Amino acid sequence: MAIKIRLLQHKRKALKGKWYGRAVSNGEVHTKELARSISNDTTLTEADVHAAIIALVKEMKDRLQDGNTVVLDGFGRFHLTIQSEMVDKPEDYNLKYHVKRILCKFTPAANRNQFDRHLERPLIDGADLSRV
């Protein structure tokens, strides 16, 4: 199946009249569906897969909140970052007031092809596109 692209027209003055593409979601796939599908492709039961995913999420949360970057080989990297307001002097910076939110950033896995140095992305390479 292809990734569906919808064309939208810019509304900002500087870009008014210009068109751009935006990916459209086909819906959501939840843990239970993933566990069922993985169990069909492996010798693991659906319950085993589901339990492993739940445990992975808990462990990732703990490690991220300890300040670690979590790397799932072949999948990608997760790390926490913040959005923060600026201040003039370091002594004026207050975590309670100047940190606006904590974000979890994801970077898909990527490897350089040893022959042509092309960047290969397992989650993205080979994706097809179609217009909605």
Side-chain angles (χ1 to χ4, degrees), residues 31 34-36 38-39 42 44-54:
T31 307
L34 292 172
R36 186 179 309 120
I38 292 169
S39 73
T42 66
L44 298 170
T45 67
E46 184 178 333
D48 290 339
V49 176
H50 193 266
I53 293 170
I54 299 301

Side-chain angles (χ1 to χ4, degrees), residues 30 36-37 40 45 47-48 51 58 61-62 65 68 75 80 86-87 102 106-107 109 112 115-116 122 127 130:
H30 291 269
R36 186 179 309 120
S37 182
N40 290 337
T45 67
D48 290 339
K58 183 202 173 299
K61 176 184 175 184
D62 293 345
Q65 290 185 3
N68 294 299
F75 185 71
L80 298 182
M86 292 186 273
V87 295
I102 301 170
F106 171 70
T107 305
R112 291 250 178 238
F115 301 110
D116 61 7
S130 69

Side-chain angles (χ1 to χ4, degrees), residues 48-109:
D48 290 339
V49 176
H50 193 266
I53 293 170
I54 299 301
L56 175 64
V57 170
K58 183 202 173 299
E59 189 64 26
M60 286 179 63
K61 176 184 175 184
D62 293 345
R63 297 300 179 111
L64 288 167
Q65 290 185 3
D66 284 343
N68 294 299
T69 295
V70 176
V71 180
L72 299 179
D73 299 326
F75 185 71
R77 307 167 69 84
F78 297 83
H79 72 277
L80 298 182
T81 185
I82 62 164
Q83 279 188 340
S84 172
E85 290 184 353
M86 292 186 273
V87 295
D88 293 326
K89 298 180 282 188
E91 56 270 12
D92 293 340
Y93 193 83
N94 183 312
L95 293 175
K96 184 176 180 181
Y97 298 111
H98 295 107
V99 174
K100 292 302 167 196
R101 64 181 166 172
I102 301 170
L103 302 167
C104 182
K105 298 285 184 155
F106 171 70
T107 305

